[in-house]
């Protein structure tokens, strides 16, 4: 029987999992939010869940980390005040962890596009592929301990550009496109393009006072409910909350 989450006053770290969507809403989102909420004990942080945009304006100041659970097309979902609340909170030291489809159709929100570094182009089926750890990132807790490369199953997203080399960005993981089919049939007739040799799938961005972490994992629970997936997300949240020693 797992221990109940510690919600005592000394447990001041708080995470808000936000799952509102402005465009396509994947049916696995509720299960993903539940899975994330159950990480509370591992994190030692309170985790709350919402899909109500107004909560971002009214309550975001209570939280250390905002997890964007597949929040497609935020410019259609969030009004000016809600977007401004996120920007102000982030500039005051907030941390954002964006999962999978959180980088879908967000180019009209220029602040977020600059923070994320890219937008969605297409994706693959749920496939096993070779994941490569960036040599400069091998000691980061979100990827540490799995060697220079390893095999993993997920839905792999193609972005409209690579974030490699962008100021303030650090790539953690790339996927080897030669080990899977990077564009599924649906997108092959809709302008879908593979990214080629440089296909980042997880990265960090520190700027403007806050911390931003993105991972392509998290389309559904099966892509995270593994020893690596749990480590990856737990350490991502800790890093975003500035609770990672030496990072």
């Amino acid at each position: 029987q797992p221990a109940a989450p510690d919600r005592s006053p000394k447990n001041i770290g708080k995470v808000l999992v936000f799952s509102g969507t402005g465009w396509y809403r994947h049916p696995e989102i509720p299960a993903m939010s539940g899975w994330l909420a159950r990480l509370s004990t591992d994190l030692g942080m309170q985790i709350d869940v919402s899909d109500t945009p107004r909560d971002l304006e009214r309550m975001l100041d209570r939280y250390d980390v905002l997890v964007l659970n597949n929040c497609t097309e935020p410019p259609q979902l969030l009004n000016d005040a809600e977007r401004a609340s996120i920007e102000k909170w982030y500039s005051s030291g907030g941390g954002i962890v964006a999962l999978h489809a959180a980088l879908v159709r967000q180019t009209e929100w220029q602040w977020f596009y600059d923070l994320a570094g890219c937008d969605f182009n297409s994706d693959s089926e749920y496939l096993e592929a070779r994941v490569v750890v960036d040599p400069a990132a091998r000691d980061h807790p979100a990827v540490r301990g799995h060697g220079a490369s390893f095999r993993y199953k997920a839905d792999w997203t193609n972005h409209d550009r690579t974030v490699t080399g962008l100021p303030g960005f650090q790539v953690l993981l790339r996927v080897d496109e030669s080990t899977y089919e990077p564009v599924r049939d649906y997108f092959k007739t809709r302008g879908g393009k593979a990214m080629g040799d440089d296909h980042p799938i997880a990265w960090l961005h520190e700027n403007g006072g806050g911390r931003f972490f993105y991972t392509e994992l998290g389309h559904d629970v099966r892509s995270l409910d593994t020893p690596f997936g749990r480590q990856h997300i737990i350490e991502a949240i800790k890093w975003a909350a500035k609770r990672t020693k030496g990072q």
Side-chain angles (χ1 to χ4, degrees), residues 89-94 206-211 242:
W89 167 83
Y90 180 87
S91 68
S92 299
E206 292 187 70
N207 78 323
R211 286 185 165 193
K242 300 179 182 178

Side-chain angles (χ1 to χ4, degrees), residues 198-220:
D198 181 23
H199 184 154
I201 61 170
W203 58 82
L204 318 173
H205 186 197
E206 292 187 70
N207 78 323
R211 286 185 165 193
F212 177 85
F213 186 109
Y214 173 74
T215 180
E216 285 186 12
L217 306 184
H219 182 263
D220 55 24

Side-chain angles (χ1 to χ4, degrees), residues 3 37 69 71 76 79 127 131 143 159-160 170 173 188 205 210 233:
N69 176 16
C71 301
Q76 294 298 317
N79 63 30
L127 297 171
V131 173
V143 299
H159 307 284
D160 62 354
Q170 179 187 7
L173 299 172
K188 286 181 178 178
H205 186 197
I233 295 303

Side-chain angles (χ1 to χ4, degrees), residues 70 98-104 123 155-157 214-219:
N70 290 283
L99 305 183
H100 195 71
L103 302 196
V104 173
D123 62 10
D155 309 78
W156 308 106
T157 301
Y214 173 74
T215 180
E216 285 186 12
L217 306 184
H219 182 263

